[in-house]
Amino acid sequence: MNTSGSTGGTQSMRRALGLLRLLARHQEDGIDLQGVMRESGLERSTAHRLLSCLLEEQFAERDSQSRRYRLGVDAMQLGFASLRRTPLLDALRPFAQKLARISGDTVFLVIRQGDYALCLLREAGSFPVKDFSSDQGDRHLLGVGAGGLAILATLPDEEIAALYARHPKHYAQAGLSAAVLMNAVRRTREQGYSEIVDRITPGVSGVGVAFPVSALTSVAFSFGAISSRLNAARRVEMGRLLRAECLAWAEGQQEA
């Protein structure tokens, strides 16, 4: 855990924030003290002291049986509150509107929330689809929607396998066996964008691209349209366009 920031006198705060990020990465299964020590590089006494403080302040919780730590209710509350209005969302909204304007299709912005992709924004283009089953605030398992598949493809294979193992029934209901899901992940990595056809809404297809916005967080934009409009040839065209636009936006943010 890097605590070598330039702001003086804040080592404990940086360590505590690092632990919150660590707990967030292990929110689904939790992480025990040994795991915290191993991944953070902290000594046992330091890790235990910081975790105890987070527990007292309800920024962490510990399962009484497994003794694994997760984010607590106050940490989750801060996260939910920040999603309502953040500089990131304010910065991405004009970009989403631009994508809707140049594509004519409906644009979705999703962010990873544990095993799920949470829809933060939906912008209708000049050729909107009225029967989408996804809207702002909705969420789907990673890999089901175009944006969620794009985010899923950025994860290590072993993490994807563990995620599937937690939700086999729901993936099966979406027509996704483990093999089908991994094939979609590999194709997404090769192309640089994801593709779905008739998966969430019958007759609707999509393409998606993911990119990181922080060391912990990735988001994805996707185009959605009726399948006759977003046919195989246009999915290639729009997937490449979306990838180029997202890369340009991300590079512009780094230079700003």
Side-chain angles (χ1 to χ4, degrees):
M1 184 178 297
N2 183 11
T3 59
S4 59
S6 59
T7 305
T10 58
Q11 185 181 57
S12 293
M13 179 179 290
R14 290 182 186 279
R15 285 174 170 173
L17 292 173
L19 285 186
L20 288 174
R21 295 188 180 99
L22 179 57
L23 296 182
R25 291 197 295 270
H26 293 273
Q27 183 65 10
E28 294 300 323
D29 295 329
I31 183 171
D32 60 17
L33 180 58
Q34 291 297 322
V36 169
M37 293 164 56
R38 181 174 60 254
E39 295 195 29
S40 68
L42 296 175
E43 295 182 355
R44 183 183 184 88
S45 60
T46 302
H48 186 268
R49 183 176 69 253
L50 291 173
L51 286 169
S52 295
C53 179
L54 293 176
L55 287 172
E56 292 169 1
E57 296 296 329
Q58 298 190 68
F59 276 78
E61 63 180 25
R62 185 177 62 182
D63 187 277
S64 60
Q65 294 183 335
S66 68
R67 304 185 70 79
R68 288 177 171 266
Y69 295 87
R70 294 179 176 83
L71 290 179
V73 292
D74 278 10
M76 300 295 286
Q77 181 61 33
L78 287 179
F80 293 145
S82 70
L83 290 177
R84 297 190 184 100
R85 184 171 182 85
T86 67
L88 172 64
L89 198 54
D90 290 342
L92 288 173
R93 184 176 286 105
F95 183 47
Q97 293 168 346
K98 174 188 175 183
L99 291 174
R101 185 172 64 252
I102 64 178
S103 69
D105 300 321
T106 301
V107 174
F108 297 91
L109 168 65
V110 301
I111 190 171
R112 183 182 180 185
Q113 187 183 63
D115 289 356
Y116 296 86
L118 173 69
C119 182
L120 294 180
L121 280 176
R122 171 177 163 176
E123 290 288 341
S126 58
F127 197 93
V129 178
K130 295 183 179 180
D131 61 349
F132 274 120
S133 60
S134 295
D135 205 345
Q136 188 171 353
D138 292 343
R139 65 178 196 166
H140 298 280
L141 277 171
L142 291 172
V144 174
L149 177 56
I151 292 176
L152 188 71
T154 67
L155 305 179
D157 287 358
E158 56 271 19
E159 187 172 348
I160 296 174
L163 193 157
Y164 188 94
R166 290 193 290 270
H167 308 279
K169 180 179 178 180
H170 293 95
Y171 277 115
Q173 290 173 346
L176 291 168
S177 65
V180 169
L181 184 63
M182 284 308 304
N183 283 337
V185 164
R186 295 187 186 99
R187 182 175 176 84
T188 298
R189 291 169 178 167
E190 292 170 359
Q191 296 179 149
Y193 60 89
S194 65
E195 290 184 77
I196 65 165
V197 178
D198 302 337
R199 186 170 295 157
I200 294 180
T201 305
V204 174
S205 297
V207 295
V209 172
F211 56 93
V213 291
S214 74
L216 185 63
T217 304
S218 289
V219 300
F221 276 104
S222 63
F223 292 139
I226 58 174
S227 296
S228 59
R229 172 178 168 83
L230 202 57
N231 56 26
R234 192 165 184 270
R235 288 199 300 274
V236 173
E237 175 190 356
M238 301 311 292
R240 291 174 177 173
L241 170 66
L242 183 59
R243 183 170 182 266
E245 289 290 337
C246 288
L247 286 173
W249 186 90
E251 290 172 357
Q253 295 303 301
Q254 292 175 357
E255 295 172 358

